[in-house]
Amino acid sequence: MIIFGTSGHLYRLAILVLACRHCGNPAAHTVTKHVTKFTLFFVPLFPVSTRFATQCTFCGTEQEVSREWAEQSPTQAAGAPVGGTYTQVQQA
């Protein structure tokens, strides 16, 4: 008997204060990496799919973002790139 399947792993990459596209409020957004891995006998072996997303802590809206944006967002100081999904809120 062979036991196989998939398991999901969630990694938090950053927490940023951004203006939400859905509700318009400046709120904290978590930048996350969702990885689905193939498992054999409950041991995760290799990733099957990977996606990146941001989630607004005010309204709960989750939106997919590109890998490049998600990986550079912790070090990003000037906000989203031109044509980006979100704009970073400047703290006074």
Side-chain angles (χ1 to χ4, degrees):
M1 177 197 268
I2 297 176
I3 301 172
F4 65 93
T6 60
S7 66
H9 298 275
L10 181 68
Y11 303 99
R12 184 182 313 160
L13 301 178
I15 298 177
L16 303 172
V17 177
L18 306 169
C20 180
R21 282 190 79 189
H22 182 72
C23 66
N25 290 312
H29 285 69
T30 56
V31 181
T32 56
K33 177 181 178 180
H34 302 268
V35 180
T36 303
K37 294 185 178 182
F38 176 78
T39 60
L40 184 61
F41 295 107
F42 305 104
V43 177
L45 296 177
F46 56 87
V48 176
S49 70
T50 303
R51 71 181 189 93
F52 296 88
T54 61
Q55 183 174 20
C56 177
T57 57
F58 188 81
C59 67
T61 301
E62 184 171 301
Q63 184 171 2
E64 284 196 42
V65 293
S66 67
R67 172 187 291 263
E68 294 79 22
W69 190 91
E71 289 177 348
Q72 74 180 358
S73 63
T75 59
Q76 186 174 339
V82 176
T85 306
Y86 293 96
T87 57
Q88 189 164 9
V89 176
Q90 297 295 325
Q91 298 286 333

